[in-house]
């Protein structure tokens, strides 16, 4: 978790700002962890509902861990890269606008900050300050006109975070079957429920929610998906049996 209670001494401020903003991959971990636990346990619940063998659980579970985990990581990579590509595309458009239509772009800056409550000489000074430096001008337009941040996330790191979280959390429902426990389904459900609670509790460190509220929300979401898979498996078993 990022410590926001940092020092405000001159040297510490200089060192912190010189390093640039820290990019968080929290959402990628949470996304991969929850989906890994949900989909793998959903397979377990579906197989149990259909009354298939433990070997089927292991085979389908491993296949899900590798295939679905890689698929999610690849999708996250492509999605994150698409965001970067879109940012660069819009940035080139704004560069061209500033160079070809500078007065129109200055008027956009003026109206942006006028809408924020600035006026008169103060507004004139802000517009002059921003439009004197092209990098600041571009950053302002990207953020204010398009809602795009110049802080870019790494597609590879985002994908890796998702994949690793998917593997770690998704492997939990399979452990009882690897260990050959007789009550594999019950143990898997218990362990998976604990994973959901832990993910939710840890997630609360980055939010204003109480840990138990966040844990309970994640638990309900995850177990609801698993319960749905169980009933689907049971229904399909009935159709096959019929």
């Amino acid at each position: 978790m990022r410590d926001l209670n940092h020092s405000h001494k001159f040297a510490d401020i200089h060192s912190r700002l010189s390093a640039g903003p820290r990019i968080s991959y929290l959402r990628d971990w949470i996304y991969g962890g929850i989906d890994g636990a949900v989909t793998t346990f959903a397979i377990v619940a579906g197989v149990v509902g259909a009354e298939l063998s433990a070997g089927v659980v292991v085979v389908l579970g491993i296949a899900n861990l590798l295939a679905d985990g890689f698929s999610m990581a690849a999708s996250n990579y492509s999605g994150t890269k698409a965001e970067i590509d879109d940012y660069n595309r819009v940035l080139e458009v704004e560069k061209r606008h500033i160079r070809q239509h500078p007065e129109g772009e200055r008027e956009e800056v003026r109206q942006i900050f006028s809408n924020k409550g600035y006026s008169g000489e103060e507004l004139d000074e802000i517009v002059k300050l921003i439009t004197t430096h092209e990098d600041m001008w571009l950053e302002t337009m990207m953020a204010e006109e398009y809602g795009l941040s110049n802080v870019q996330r790494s597609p590879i790191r985002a994908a890796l975070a998702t994949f690793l979280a998917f593997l770690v959390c998704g492997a939990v429902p399979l452990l009882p079957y690897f260990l050959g426990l007789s009550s594999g389904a019950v143990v898997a459900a218990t362990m998976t429920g604990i994973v959901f609670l832990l993910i939710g509790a840890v997630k609360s460190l980055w939010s204003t929610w109480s840990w138990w509220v966040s844990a309970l929300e994640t638990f309900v979401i995850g177990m609801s998906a698993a319960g749905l898979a169980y009933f689907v498996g049971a229904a399909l078993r009935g159709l096959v049996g019929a």
Side-chain angles (χ1 to χ4, degrees):
M1 180 179 62
R2 183 180 304 175
D3 184 11
L4 301 181
N5 297 315
H6 44 247
S7 168
H8 287 86
K9 295 181 180 179
F10 177 85
D12 294 334
I13 293 174
H14 176 74
S15 176
R16 185 173 66 253
L17 295 182
S18 297
R22 294 176 57 187
I23 300 176
S24 173
Y25 294 93
L26 171 66
R27 74 176 186 182
D28 305 290
W29 280 98
I30 299 298
Y31 179 47
I34 292 179
D35 197 79
V38 166
T39 57
T40 307
F41 184 61
I43 287 175
V44 172
V47 170
V48 171
E51 295 186 352
L52 301 177
S53 68
V56 174
V57 173
V58 173
V59 171
L60 292 181
I62 293 177
N64 174 75
L65 279 179
L66 297 178
D68 199 12
F70 180 81
S71 175
M72 284 191 61
S75 297
N76 197 6
Y77 173 88
S78 298
T80 305
K81 190 174 183 299
E83 290 180 349
I84 296 175
D85 292 341
D86 182 55
Y87 179 91
N88 291 331
R89 177 187 63 84
V90 176
L91 182 64
E92 290 302 315
V93 171
E94 279 302 304
K95 285 181 180 179
R96 187 171 66 251
H97 286 177
I98 287 175
R99 292 164 185 170
Q100 295 179 355
H101 309 284
E103 292 306 317
E105 290 296 314
R106 285 190 181 91
E107 179 59 26
E108 289 184 2
V109 174
R110 178 176 296 277
Q111 292 194 26
I112 286 172
F113 285 91
S114 175
N115 292 335
K116 293 179 181 291
Y118 296 96
S119 62
E121 294 183 1
E122 188 178 36
L123 178 59
D124 292 338
E125 187 64 27
I126 291 174
V127 174
K128 180 180 178 181
L129 177 64
I130 291 176
T131 57
T132 299
H133 306 279
E134 186 177 271
D135 288 344
M136 183 184 297
W137 195 347
L138 287 168
E139 185 175 334
T140 299
M141 298 308 296
M142 295 295 286
E144 298 293 340
E145 186 174 8
Y146 300 100
L148 298 174
S149 171
N150 66 336
V151 179
Q152 302 294 333
R153 302 167 69 249
S154 166
I156 293 179
R157 291 185 178 181
L160 187 60
T162 296
F163 185 64
L164 291 178
F166 190 98
L167 288 182
V168 171
C169 297
V172 171
L174 301 178
L175 289 178
Y177 294 92
F178 278 115
L179 298 176
L181 300 180
S182 57
S183 301
V186 175
V187 177
T190 302
M191 293 177 66
T192 304
I194 292 174
V195 168
F196 290 141
L197 290 171
L198 289 176
I199 291 175
V202 172
K203 180 165 62 74
S204 71
L205 296 176
W206 285 268
S207 73
T208 57
W209 286 22
S210 300
W211 69 268
W212 62 270
V213 174
S214 180
L216 185 60
E217 178 199 45
T218 306
F219 177 83
V220 171
I221 292 173
M223 297 308 287
S224 295
L228 177 62
Y230 175 84
F231 287 115
V232 169
L236 292 177
R237 180 197 61 190
L239 290 176
V240 173

